Amino acid sequence: MDLEKLFGGKTKVDILKYLLFRRQGISMRALEGEITRTFPAIKKQVDALDKAKVINVNKDGQWRAISIKPEFYDILKNVFYFWLQHELINLFTTYEVMIDQYYFGKRFNIDLEMDLVVIYKNCEKPQIDMIKENINEIFRTYFIEVVSVVFMSNEEWQKRDRLADRFVIQIKKSLIKK
């Protein structure tokens, strides 16, 4: 699935991502600076979303506050989170030689303290830093700036598992609840 194909273009997808993950009630002019698209492109896509009855455009005076309609908010957010998760899985598949396991957490509606837990093997610090940067890039494309990610070596994971570490137990319990 490609969000840009589904929603008809990068500008529309970026507008929806911004409204879902950054903030609602932004004007088109302010949005222009945030998503680095031209005003005419933003206006065209906002008008299309308005005609589709997916967003509200509050037209008080000169200022037009854009927000996603409440009845669509959770549905759209779930679609975008599904795609975010898919992009992360693709990244982890790319690095499958270095990444042993990964667990999605609270940002993905899973009962974990962290947003993402990555268990790595065969990795040196420069490789881990590269993977971290790739993860950050993916989240930034969704206008998500703050993410709690835990990187743990496979050896550390196994040691903590043997010692019945609270964090490892919490991860295992979250898998059972699915």
Side-chain angles (χ1 to χ4, degrees):
M1 177 167 82
D2 184 348
L3 287 176
E4 292 170 20
K5 297 290 184 200
L6 177 66
F7 290 103
K10 185 160 178 47
T11 303
K12 192 179 294 179
V13 169
D14 284 348
I15 290 168
L16 289 171
K17 283 179 183 178
Y18 190 88
L19 294 172
L20 287 166
F21 299 111
R22 181 66 59 86
R23 72 180 172 115
Q24 300 254 3
I26 188 168
S27 71
M28 283 189 266
R29 285 285 176 205
L31 197 54
E32 180 182 14
E34 294 287 334
I35 66 170
T36 61
R37 299 282 184 279
T38 65
F39 183 81
I42 291 170
K43 181 164 181 1
K44 178 181 177 184
Q45 297 307 322
V46 166
D47 288 346
L49 288 166
D50 192 25
K51 284 180 186 170
K53 301 191 184 317
V54 173
I55 62 171
N56 287 317
V57 181
N58 185 356
K59 300 172 183 170
D60 288 340
Q62 297 286 68
W63 194 60
R64 292 180 166 215
I66 306 162
S67 60
I68 295 174
K69 288 189 174 186
E71 60 269 26
F72 290 108
Y73 187 84
D74 287 336
I75 295 165
L76 287 173
K77 196 162 192 168
N78 287 337
V79 168
F80 279 79
Y81 267 123
F82 174 81
W83 191 247
L84 170 62
Q85 192 171 8
H86 181 73
E87 287 186 51
L88 290 166
I89 290 169
N90 284 342
L91 175 72
F92 299 145
T93 302
T94 303
Y95 293 113
E96 68 186 346
V97 174
M98 295 179 261
I99 296 177
D100 190 35
Q101 303 170 65
Y102 52 88
Y103 302 97
F104 295 101
K106 67 182 174 188
R107 190 166 296 274
F108 300 93
N109 291 322
I110 296 172
D111 188 24
L112 280 179
E113 295 172 13
M114 301 294 146
D115 294 322
L116 186 61
V117 177
V118 179
I119 313 301
Y120 63 88
K121 59 183 179 182
N122 305 325
C123 247
E124 299 297 324
K125 181 159 176 30
Q127 295 165 320
I128 293 170
D129 290 343
M130 180 181 61
I131 295 169
K132 286 179 182 179
E133 183 54 36
N134 289 334
I135 290 170
N136 283 332
E137 282 178 33
I138 290 171
F139 277 102
R140 278 193 296 267
T141 64
Y142 286 80
F143 299 100
I144 300 171
E145 297 293 328
V146 178
V147 182
S148 56
V149 181
V150 171
F151 271 78
M152 187 183 307
S153 70
N154 195 4
E155 295 80 21
E156 178 72 15
W157 171 265
Q158 290 174 0
K159 177 183 165 188
R160 291 173 78 168
D161 189 25
R162 283 191 308 274
L163 295 173
D165 180 77
R166 186 177 68 85
F167 183 63
V168 172
I169 290 171
Q170 182 190 19
I171 292 171
K172 288 183 171 187
K173 279 184 183 179
S174 73
L175 295 174
I176 294 169
K177 290 180 184 178
K178 284 184 177 178

